[in-house]
């Protein structure tokens, strides 16, 4: 941009007010509408006003930092890296001569760790603060702390086009300034999706139509890479889109490809982008915007202390930012794929990331900057529960002590540019001499999975001879091949830029901790696993069956192994990722897994093991056994069965009796004779209550059956035991004799036979006999000393009942004469008196 053009930008017209505000206060909240030139001009205005040090501009995205730096360098008439430079995670154009530097927020925080006073820096500008990233919040609070404790001369400017500026200025004690923009009107239309309609197909159709109607390019906002690819594919099937230059733009693209996406074209462009194109950068020539209204947002997964990306509606402020891309040069149009009613219900501003993200990395940075996780001057304090959870994790990793103070280990972890779990693993890897391999595992865990598609055979073909099937080792070997220029197996397709980024991340992480002389790719899996267990001890699971995907995770949580995993066999494994299972929310899906030996887990996490001993009934052996279970965090993974010990006798007998009670064990000796004895005793007890006989209550029977089980722990030891003696023995000898007299088991008959009696509580005893056996018995027999007559069942020669009576004399006198002739005719061979 020529100087004459720059001077027409609205921010340039407020240069004196900006300078005066910074003279009155070392903090300024600057809101400037889209098109005002704030991102490119404010850093230059600060230098022109005589800033004594560097101006550092913090951008939320790498693409914005690089593109804006190039533009400002061009305006300054210098090459990037000389007077104007940039520094991002994997890319930099920087030198000691840089006066204006554009950095991502994370790089700035690392810089602040190395130089707590920010020596040589005059002003820190935090751009696009409305996005409220965790690192932006942390950077603003950290700079304020430096101002208040070390550098009152340091200036801080917080900028945004859409921001609750009054609230922020009040929280910071800052000057407040608003600059009108130089935007053109944008006509907004709402075109909500119909039920069942595909978002990507609808976005493609609107983009193609809008591109024909506006005199310029169209920018399409989609939530992620997958949706970008699907939208571009849908566009290629639309005949009208053939005359347009279709491009993609997202944060995981190589810098060169991102630059190409922003270059002018001889044909109208349709650029499908994530929200990297929402702020800071200008896509030249855009006259139309199609907005899906969605973005992927980091939300904390409390169970794993990790972030998960979730698809969510954007705020109204973000929608205005997106629409504004179409009004930078002249009037434009925007199509929103949601209704006006839906728009009105949306949040006014983006929710601060600090209120929704995992906070352990932030807590570690706070501890590294201040020495403690407490009393940090937040703009907006983090929610208590997530912050407490983050601090608990850091304490478990050994990064802070119980008082929240950073430890020596935590200081080393803070120097590693990755999440605390992975930083802890890398610090341990330095001790074990396996940094090279752990750095690659950490890169695999922290970056997007670079495998686009692969069959199992191709994945296993990546392994070296002797490698255990491991998702992490597979990816490690792929990175080795890429770094060495080796070919990949057929059937394996990668997201190439993601893979290259993982290679760069691995190199960067390996350089953040010291490596020993024997450190290299040949270090064994044991050392690598031990290091990873320091950070991911709660990622250990046990697979009881090699042929099934089901696992038990810590705390007996249910889990399944991902169907694309190459991990085989049963036993321990380490899973770095755990996702919700849509089909069963109570079950997790574990991935990025690697097998573990029990000895490794015990070596790393001995306090999480315990041996639990218990007596149990084993249906297979039909015996009570002492089971010794080796458990990891309450999850049994190995069991040994032994016979019960002497001190187990009482419990073993009870467990054996419970199997008797539920019918698992049948006591052959607990037969009709036992049941009849019990019935006889109950009858006598009812006839002679003064005798005080026991009633064989359920509790008393339980005790007797336990006595039958005495000294046994196997079914075979009790199922044939004699029981009648035990049951009779519950009564004293005299009581037994009394029962035998008052309720005999049988009675003599005139022909010398004995008639068996059957007893039932509350009923007279019953006896059955053939009529000929009763000849000579004139009166009904009785028990209980003659008190209780026996009910006789008189049987014919065929042993079927002829009569049931309690009055035998009446039978002989009245009934028998009527039956005798008929019986003599039917049974002529039998005696009939």
């Amino acid at each position: 941009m020529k100087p004459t053009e720059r001077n027409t930008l609205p921010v340039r017209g407020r240069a004196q007010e900006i300078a005066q505000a910074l003279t009155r206060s070392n903090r300024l909240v600057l809101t400037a509408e889209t098109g005002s030139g704030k991102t490119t001009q404010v850093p230059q205005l600060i230098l022109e006003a005589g800033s004594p040090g560097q101006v550092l501009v913090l951008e939320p995205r790498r693409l914005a930092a690089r593109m804006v730096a190039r533009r400002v360098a061009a305006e300054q008439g210098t090459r990037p890296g000389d007077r104007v430079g940039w520094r991002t995670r994997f890319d930099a154009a920087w030198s000691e001569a840089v006066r204006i530097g554009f950095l991502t927020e994370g790089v700035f925080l690392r810089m602040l760790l190395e130089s707590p006073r920010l020596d040589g820096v005059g002003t820190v500008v935090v751009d696009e603060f409305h996005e409220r990233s965790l690192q932006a919040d942390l950077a603003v609070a950290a700079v304020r702390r430096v101002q208040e404790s070390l550098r009152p001369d340091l200036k801080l400017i917080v900028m945004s086009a859409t921001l609750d500026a009054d609230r922020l200025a009040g929280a910071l004690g800052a000057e407040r300034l608003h600059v009108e923009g130089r935007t053109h009107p944008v006509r907004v239309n709402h075109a909500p999706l119909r039920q069942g309609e595909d978002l990507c197909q609808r976005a493609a159709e609107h983009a193609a139509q809008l591109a024909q109607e506006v005199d310029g390019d169209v920018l399409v906002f989609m939530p992620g890479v997958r949706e970008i690819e699907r939208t571009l594919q849908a566009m290629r099937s639309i005949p009208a889109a053939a005359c347009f230059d279709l491009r993609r733009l997202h944060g995981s693209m190589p810098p060169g490809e991102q630059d190409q996406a922003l270059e002018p074209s001889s044909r109208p462009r349709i650029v499908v982008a994530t929200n990297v194109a929402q702020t800071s950068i200008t896509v030249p020539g855009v006259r139309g915007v199609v907005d899906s209204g969605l973005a992927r947002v980091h939300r904390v997964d409390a169970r794993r202390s990790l972030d998960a990306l979730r698809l969510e509606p954007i705020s109204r402020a973000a929608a205005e930012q997106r629409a504004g891309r179409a009004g930078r040069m002249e009037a434009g149009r925007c199509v929103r794929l949601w209704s006006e009613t839906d728009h009105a219900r949306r949040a006014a501003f983006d929710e601060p990331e600090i209120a929704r993200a995992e906070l352990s990395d932030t807590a570690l940075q706070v501890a590294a900057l201040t020495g403690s996780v407490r009393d940090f001057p937040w703009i907006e304090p983090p929610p208590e529960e997530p912050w407490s959870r983050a601090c608990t994790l850091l304490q478990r990793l050994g990064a802070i002590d119980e008082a929240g103070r950073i430890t020596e280990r935590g200081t080393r972890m803070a120097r590693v540019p990755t999440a605390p779990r992975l930083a802890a693993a890398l610090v341990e890897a330095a001790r074990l001499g396996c940094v090279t391999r752990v750095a690659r595992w950490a890169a695999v865990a922290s970056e997007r999975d670079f495998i686009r598609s692969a069959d199992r055979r191709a994945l296993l073909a990546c392994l070296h001879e002797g490698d255990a099937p491991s998702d992490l080792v597979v990816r490690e070997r792929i990175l080795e091949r890429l770094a060495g220029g080796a070919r990949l197996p057929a059937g394996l397709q990668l997201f190439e830029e993601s893979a290259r980024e993982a290679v760069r991340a691995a190199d960067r992480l390996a350089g953040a901790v010291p490596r020993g002389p024997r450190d290299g790719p040949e270090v064994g899996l044991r050392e690598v696993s031990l290091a990873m267990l320091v950070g991911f001890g709660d990622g250990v699971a046990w697979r009881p069956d090699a042929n099934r995907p089901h696992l038990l995770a810590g705390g007996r949580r249910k889990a399944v192994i991902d169907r694309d995993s190459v991990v085989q066999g049963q036993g321990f494994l380490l899973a770095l990722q755990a996702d919700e299972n849509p089909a069963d929310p109570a079950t997790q899906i574990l991935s990025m897994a690697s097998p573990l030996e029990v000895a490794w887990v015990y070596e790393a996490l001995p306090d999480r093991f315990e041996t639990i001993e218990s007596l149990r009934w084993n249906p297979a052996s039909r015996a009570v056994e002492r089971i010794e279970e080796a458990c990891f965090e309450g999850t049994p993974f190995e069991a040994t069965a032994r016979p019960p010990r002497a001190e187990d006798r009482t419990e073993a007998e009870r467990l054996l009796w419970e199997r008797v009670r539920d019918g698992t064990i049948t006591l052959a000796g607990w037969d009709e004779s036992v049941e009849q004895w019990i019935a006889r005793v109950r009858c006598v007890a009812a006839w002679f209550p003064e005798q005080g006989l026991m009633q064989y209550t359920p509790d008393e029977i339980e005790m007797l059956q336990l006595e039958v089980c005495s000294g046994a722990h196997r079914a075979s030891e009790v199922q044939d035991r004699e029981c009648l003696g035990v049951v009779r023995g519950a009564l004293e000898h005299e009581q037994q004799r009394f029962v035998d007299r008052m309720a005999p088991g049988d009675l003599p008959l005139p022909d010398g036979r004995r008639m068996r009696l059957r007893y039932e509580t509350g009923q007279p005893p019953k006896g059955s006999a053939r009529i000929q056996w009763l000849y000579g018995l004139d009166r009904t027999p009785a028990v209980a000393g003659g008190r209780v007559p026996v009910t006789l069942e008189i049987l014919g020669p065929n042993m079927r009942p002829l009569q049931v009576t309690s009055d035998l004399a009446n039978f002989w006198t009245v009934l028998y004469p009527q039956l005798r002739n008929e019986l003599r005719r039917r049974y002529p061979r039998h005696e009939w008196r």
Side-chain angles (χ1 to χ4, degrees):
M1 183 178 288
K2 298 179 180 179
T4 53
E5 294 176 346
R6 283 194 290 138
N7 290 335
T8 64
L9 292 172
V11 163
R12 283 276 168 184
R14 309 291 292 276
Q16 186 175 359
E17 293 177 64
I18 293 172
Q20 289 173 349
L22 288 175
T23 300
R24 292 191 299 268
S25 172
N26 60 1
R27 297 177 200 139
L28 171 64
V29 173
L30 176 64
T31 52
E33 295 177 2
T34 302
S36 64
K38 69 179 188 319
T39 299
T40 58
Q41 302 308 307
V42 167
Q44 299 182 71
L45 290 175
I46 294 170
L47 276 190
E48 293 167 9
S51 173
Q54 279 184 326
V55 179
L56 300 183
V57 185
L58 278 54
E59 295 291 344
R61 296 179 182 82
R62 288 174 282 176
L63 174 61
R66 188 177 70 253
M67 297 303 296
V68 177
R70 285 178 174 169
R71 178 171 175 178
V72 173
E75 293 181 5
Q76 290 279 311
T78 183
R79 294 183 306 172
D82 292 342
R83 184 176 174 82
V84 181
W86 77 80
R87 287 176 63 180
T88 66
R89 186 180 180 190
F90 297 122
D91 193 20
W94 199 270
S95 69
E96 293 184 359
V98 168
R99 297 297 310 283
I100 301 176
F102 291 85
L103 306 84
T104 52
E105 298 151 352
V107 168
F108 170 76
L109 291 170
R110 300 289 172 193
M111 177 188 293
L112 190 58
L113 286 175
E114 297 170 3
S115 177
R117 287 180 49 85
L118 290 177
D119 292 323
V121 177
T123 306
V124 177
V125 180
V126 182
D127 194 18
E128 307 299 354
F129 188 71
H130 69 277
E131 294 196 14
R132 296 303 304 275
S133 72
L134 258 173
Q135 292 183 326
D137 271 27
L138 184 56
V140 170
V143 171
R144 178 167 69 169
R145 181 176 177 276
V146 173
Q147 289 176 321
E148 293 174 348
S149 60
L150 302 171
R151 293 276 313 278
D153 62 307
L154 182 66
K155 306 295 185 182
L156 171 64
I157 302 178
V158 181
M159 301 195 307
S160 176
T162 54
L163 186 66
D164 190 350
D166 291 333
R167 179 181 175 187
L168 178 61
L172 287 175
E175 291 279 324
R176 165 85 168 84
L177 183 64
H178 179 71
V179 179
E180 298 291 336
R182 191 184 66 180
T183 58
H184 299 276
V186 176
R187 178 159 58 93
V188 176
N189 294 325
H190 289 266
L193 297 179
R194 293 183 289 271
Q195 187 173 5
E197 194 168 17
D198 182 73
L199 173 68
C200 299
Q201 180 66 39
R202 187 69 182 277
E205 293 169 357
H206 278 289
Q209 181 179 348
L210 193 58
Q212 296 177 74
E213 297 173 357
V214 299
D215 184 18
D217 300 330
V218 171
L219 181 60
V220 183
F221 284 102
M222 299 302 288
V225 175
R226 183 178 302 175
E227 290 81 7
I228 288 176
E229 297 301 326
R230 288 180 54 215
T231 302
L232 289 171
Q233 183 178 2
M235 284 185 184
R236 295 186 187 102
S237 66
I238 300 174
C243 59
F244 299 110
D245 187 354
L246 305 181
R247 299 186 182 183
R248 61 178 58 80
L249 180 61
H250 53 81
S252 58
M253 291 168 57
E257 292 183 16
Q258 290 178 336
D259 296 345
Q260 291 174 7
L262 298 174
E263 289 178 356
S265 173
S266 59
R267 295 184 297 163
R269 293 176 301 168
I270 298 179
V271 181
V272 188
T274 59
N275 55 6
V276 297
Q278 183 174 306
T279 56
S280 297
I281 64 171
T282 297
V283 183
V286 171
R287 301 290 184 272
V289 166
V290 176
D291 188 359
S292 67
L294 300 171
R296 281 195 163 80
V297 177
H298 284 287
R299 292 281 179 188
V300 65
D301 181 341
R303 291 177 298 185
R304 296 182 291 143
S305 293
L306 294 173
D307 277 341
L309 279 173
R310 297 184 181 177
L311 195 64
E312 296 185 2
I314 62 173
S315 66
R316 298 198 301 272
E320 292 304 314
Q321 287 273 5
R322 291 182 175 186
R325 300 294 99 184
R328 299 298 295 269
M329 308 303 294
E330 59 183 73
R333 291 178 56 190
C334 173
V335 177
R336 291 174 176 165
L337 302 183
W338 66 95
S339 68
E340 292 183 74
T341 302
D342 181 10
H343 186 76
R345 292 172 179 166
R346 296 189 175 203
F349 298 97
D350 290 338
E351 182 183 16
E353 191 177 7
I354 199 170
R356 53 180 166 80
E358 203 281 318
L359 300 176
S360 60
D361 191 22
T362 304
L364 181 59
Q365 289 177 314
V366 167
L369 289 169
T370 67
S372 172
V373 293
R374 300 176 180 174
D375 301 324
F376 189 68
W378 293 105
I379 301 170
E380 182 175 335
E384 184 176 347
E385 183 179 347
W387 184 253
S388 175
R389 199 162 48 233
C391 294
T392 299
L393 174 62
L394 291 185
Q395 188 175 338
R396 192 171 78 228
L397 296 175
I400 61 175
D401 60 20
E402 292 182 359
R405 296 183 297 266
I406 194 166
T407 62
E408 181 181 351
R409 183 186 188 89
T411 300
R412 294 198 299 270
M413 287 170 54
R415 298 192 187 106
V416 183
T418 189
R421 289 176 179 271
L422 296 171
L426 281 159
V427 168
E428 181 68 8
R431 188 183 72 82
L432 296 173
C434 55
V435 169
T436 301
R437 293 196 68 184
V438 172
R440 284 183 174 151
W441 282 35
V444 167
S446 59
E447 302 297 322
R448 175 192 175 199
D449 189 13
F450 47 77
I451 295 180
R452 182 193 294 268
S453 64
D455 57 51
R456 184 182 185 82
R457 183 180 303 174
L459 294 173
L460 293 174
C462 296
L463 296 171
H464 293 176
E465 184 177 356
D467 279 343
S470 161
D471 301 328
L472 291 160
V473 176
V474 164
R475 285 157 177 80
E476 178 188 4
R477 300 311 184 201
I478 292 173
L479 295 184
E480 287 179 359
R481 293 191 182 210
L482 291 176
R487 294 180 60 185
L488 296 174
L492 176 61
Q493 292 186 327
L494 304 181
F495 293 105
E496 294 184 5
E497 178 53 27
S498 295
R500 288 192 292 267
E501 193 160 301
V503 171
R504 294 195 296 269
D507 291 341
R508 183 164 175 259
L509 292 171
V513 290
R515 276 182 281 188
R518 292 181 296 173
D519 195 324
E522 70 282 354
V523 174
L525 187 59
R526 169 186 170 273
E527 289 77 12
V528 180
S529 299
L530 288 175
M532 294 301 294
L533 284 169
V534 171
F536 292 89
D538 53 353
V540 176
W542 168 255
R543 189 176 191 176
D545 187 342
N547 298 315
R548 303 188 67 187
H550 300 90
L551 305 102
L552 290 175
R556 295 182 180 267
R557 296 194 313 273
K558 293 191 299 180
V560 294
I561 193 75
D562 188 275
R563 63 182 181 181
D564 294 327
S565 175
V566 301
V567 175
Q568 299 174 333
Q570 66 185 64
F572 275 109
L573 60 85
L574 172 66
L576 301 191
Q577 292 185 9
D579 298 313
E580 291 181 353
N581 184 354
D584 180 8
T587 302
Q588 293 179 318
I589 299 176
L590 304 185
S591 57
M592 290 296 171
S594 187
L596 297 168
E597 293 187 11
V598 176
W600 304 348
V601 185
Y602 186 83
E603 185 176 352
L605 307 165
D607 58 325
R608 302 191 190 180
F609 283 83
E610 62 178 333
T611 299
I612 299 176
E613 296 186 16
S614 61
L615 287 178
R616 298 183 195 167
W617 168 256
N618 185 339
S621 63
R622 290 181 60 78
V624 176
E625 297 172 341
R626 170 164 285 280
I627 306 298
E628 297 178 2
E629 284 185 322
C631 298
F632 178 80
E633 289 193 337
T635 300
F637 64 88
E638 189 176 70
T640 303
R642 306 184 190 280
R645 296 193 291 253
E647 57 266 32
D648 300 329
R649 175 175 172 174
T650 301
E651 181 62 20
E653 292 170 355
R654 174 163 290 277
L655 289 174
L656 206 59
W657 166 77
E658 288 177 354
R659 302 289 75 80
V660 171
R661 181 181 60 178
D662 65 20
T664 301
I665 298 175
T666 300
L667 295 177
W670 197 281
D671 56 13
E672 179 67 15
S673 65
V674 172
E675 296 295 340
Q676 274 299 292
W677 171 259
I678 292 172
R680 289 163 63 193
V681 173
R682 289 172 176 169
C683 287
V684 173
W687 299 333
F688 301 96
E690 70 278 3
Q691 293 293 320
L693 296 177
M694 69 181 296
Q695 299 286 323
Y696 289 102
T697 64
D699 288 343
E700 289 168 338
I701 289 177
E702 174 183 330
M703 295 302 298
L704 293 171
Q705 289 179 337
L706 278 170
E707 187 175 342
V708 172
C709 297
S710 177
H713 68 276
R714 294 182 175 278
S716 60
E717 295 174 316
V718 299
Q719 56 193 17
D720 293 325
R721 279 188 177 178
E722 192 271 336
C723 300
L724 182 58
V726 173
V727 177
R728 286 181 62 96
L731 272 63
E732 297 177 1
H733 182 66
E734 289 301 321
Q735 291 178 321
Q736 294 179 39
R737 293 181 62 189
F738 184 75
V739 170
D740 284 334
R741 292 197 310 271
M742 296 299 106
D746 53 38
L747 290 174
L749 296 176
D751 69 348
R753 291 183 174 86
R754 300 192 70 86
M755 180 176 63
R756 183 183 174 189
L757 299 181
R758 299 184 301 278
Y759 288 84
E760 183 178 348
T761 305
Q763 301 292 327
K766 296 180 177 63
S768 298
R770 284 176 56 175
I771 190 168
Q772 286 84 1
W773 302 346
L774 299 176
Y775 289 163
L777 185 65
D778 299 328
R779 298 171 55 188
T780 302
V783 297
R787 297 184 186 184
V788 179
V790 174
T791 299
L792 291 174
E793 185 179 47
I794 303 173
L795 307 177
N798 61 355
M799 302 303 289
R800 291 183 179 178
L802 296 175
Q803 182 67 35
V804 176
T805 181
S806 296
D807 188 351
L808 185 59
N810 183 66
F811 172 76
W812 291 127
T813 304
V814 178
L815 296 178
Y816 181 64
Q818 300 175 16
L819 292 171
R820 182 170 47 197
N821 292 335
E822 175 63 24
L823 291 170
R824 184 179 286 131
R825 185 182 62 77
R826 289 175 59 188
Y827 304 104
R829 296 183 181 182
H830 289 266
E831 178 185 8
W832 301 104
R833 298 182 183 177

